[in-house]
Amino acid sequence: MQLLDGKLTSNTLKDEIAKEVSKVLAQGGKKPHLAAILVGSNGASETYVNAKVKACEKVGFDSTLVRMSEDVSEEELLNEVRKINENPAIDGLIVQLPLPKHISEIKVTETIVPEKDVDGFHPVNLGRMTLNLPTFLPATPAGIVELLDRYDIETSGKHCVVIGRSHIVGSPMSILMARNAKVGNCTVTLTHSRTTNLEEISRSADILIVALGKPEFVTADMVKEGAVIVDVGITRVKSDKTKSGWKLKGDVAFDEVAPKCSFITPVPGGVGPMTIASLLKNTLISARGK
Ligand code: NAD
């Protein structure tokens, strides 16, 4: 078994991005600039946004973090998005999800101009991805593709099973793995909460991508010997062994599954850092396009 080390790979990717930024600056260009909007004070969201802002600093980007209170109205949030849309100094905008229940996530996503949608969630960008046209790929699936690519994982002709059909991970992932590309050309099965024979399907996977948000859901008996496992899940669970009082768990029971597979991502240190690196890559692409 070999680890698909997202931390290491994302550091390589970030070094490459930082070099590109230095080159642009040396030629008199400007730093790429990412703006993030955080609504409320959800602990996990706070951690993710801070990690993104820190990553921007590391590669030499400018960043702006806009904090809005939990009870901000939908219209106020949309106005902030519109303001950033029109700000020529900002190349990319993300609104950290989830949002409070009184705000429509799809309305917010659709208000971000596709040219600055570096999370790749806008319907225009998802449509372009589906047609295999140049676009901002959704950050998590793009990070997984990059990770598989950098480890030279053979995907062509393989059976890829995706567990979970969310708009931001599972569904776009299934499209990317099926498309005609270096990492792609898989026969894909997209499974979800209504799938009846999940264990049987997951056991037939050469590549299993798990994104459902249920800690240690995938057990050894659900995995084929020699499979490649990508664990997207991140759930905070209480722990009396850490200073913070909680730790992160993936959707795969790592200890029992790892010995069975050829490659596996750890949690943390697998898909998470790759997601951030993809976000930076999209922001760089956006800045270059100007
Ligand atoms: P979501 O909650 O939007 O969707 C979960 C999906 O799982 C649904 O499509 C549902 O049909 C499916 N599902 C639920 N129970 C199931 C079952 N018993 N069998 C089969 N399918 C089932 O999920 P999401 O936003 O894609 O997030 C999934 C996990 O990935 C979460 O833990 C989240 O925190 C994590 N995540 C990690 C990153 C990262 O960067 N590492 C990014 C996004 C999400």
Side-chain angles (χ1 to χ4, degrees), residues 48 140 163-170 191-195 198 210-214 217 231-235 249 251 271-273 275-276:
Y48 297 145
T140 300
I163 305 183
R165 60 177 161 189
S166 72
H167 297 319
I168 61 170
V169 187
T191 67
H192 44 77
S193 52
R194 303 290 176 95
T195 300
L198 182 65
V210 194
L212 76 162
K214 295 195 172 158
F217 178 86
D231 186 354
V232 186
I234 311 179
T235 307
K249 272 220 185 290
D251 286 347
V271 175
T275 297
I276 294 182

Side-chain angles (χ1 to χ4, degrees), residues 7-272:
K7 198 165 174 207
L8 193 79
T9 310
S10 71
N11 281 337
T12 309
L13 204 61
K14 280 192 259 182
D15 287 345
E16 291 167 11
I17 293 171
K19 273 192 199 130
E20 186 77 29
V21 173
S22 304
K23 221 161 60 185
V24 170
L25 291 180
Q27 290 162 357
K30 80 165 202 53
K31 287 180 173 184
H33 189 157
L34 176 71
I37 301 179
L38 176 63
V39 178
S41 52
N42 172 301
S45 294
E46 186 96 30
T47 309
Y48 297 145
V49 165
N50 287 337
K52 289 168 190 175
V53 169
K54 227 169 93 188
C56 282
E57 281 166 20
K58 196 172 169 214
V59 297
F61 288 7
D62 280 330
S63 64
T64 300
L65 175 57
V66 179
R67 288 173 181 275
M68 304 189 95
S69 69
E70 183 82 22
D71 59 0
V72 67
S73 72
E74 187 177 271
E75 201 42 39
E76 276 175 276
L77 173 56
L78 294 178
N79 280 336
E80 190 58 43
V81 169
R82 290 182 193 114
K83 222 165 78 190
I84 296 173
N85 281 343
E86 282 158 21
N87 183 344
I90 293 175
D91 303 297
L93 166 62
I94 57 167
V95 177
Q96 186 64 42
L97 303 179
L99 291 170
K101 292 222 165 15
H102 65 279
I103 298 175
S104 155
E105 287 187 357
I106 186 66
K107 239 191 212 171
V108 173
T109 303
E110 283 187 314
T111 302
I112 299 174
V113 282
E115 297 75 24
K116 293 191 181 183
D117 167 44
V118 287
D119 254 338
F121 296 163
H122 193 286
V124 166
N125 287 329
L126 287 172
R128 292 183 65 85
M129 176 200 73
T130 306
L131 297 172
N132 215 353
L133 296 170
T135 186
F136 298 124
L137 295 177
T140 300
I144 293 170
V145 165
E146 187 82 42
L147 190 60
L148 296 175
D149 190 22
R150 301 232 171 186
Y151 275 85
D152 269 330
I153 304 289
E154 180 58 80
T155 58
S156 180
K158 305 286 183 196
H159 184 205
C160 175
V161 174
V162 180
I163 305 183
R165 60 177 161 189
S166 72
H167 297 319
I168 61 170
V169 187
S171 293
M173 194 71 242
S174 68
I175 292 165
L176 291 178
M177 294 307 283
R179 69 180 183 165
N180 188 358
K182 182 169 173 252
V183 174
N185 287 314
C186 286
T187 304
V188 177
T189 306
L190 179 59
T191 67
H192 44 77
S193 52
R194 303 290 176 95
T195 300
T196 49
N197 50 344
L198 182 65
E199 282 80 3
E200 194 187 318
I201 296 170
S202 76
R203 264 197 299 276
S204 74
D206 302 306
I207 301 168
L208 181 63
I209 303 176
V210 194
L212 76 162
K214 295 195 172 158
E216 305 198 322
F217 178 86
V218 171
T219 45
D221 58 320
M222 293 170 71
V223 171
K224 179 160 92 176
E225 200 74 47
V228 175
I229 312 283
V230 177
D231 186 354
V232 186
I234 311 179
T235 307
R236 283 178 167 217
V237 295
K238 284 204 171 113
S239 168
D240 49 19
K241 292 197 182 86
T242 60
K243 234 176 28 194
S244 59
W246 52 265
K247 64 175 179 174
L248 298 178
K249 272 220 185 290
D251 286 347
V252 176
F254 185 91
D255 291 345
E256 60 175 271
V257 170
K260 267 190 105 170
C261 47
S262 54
F263 293 90
I264 185 166
T265 58
V267 176
V271 175

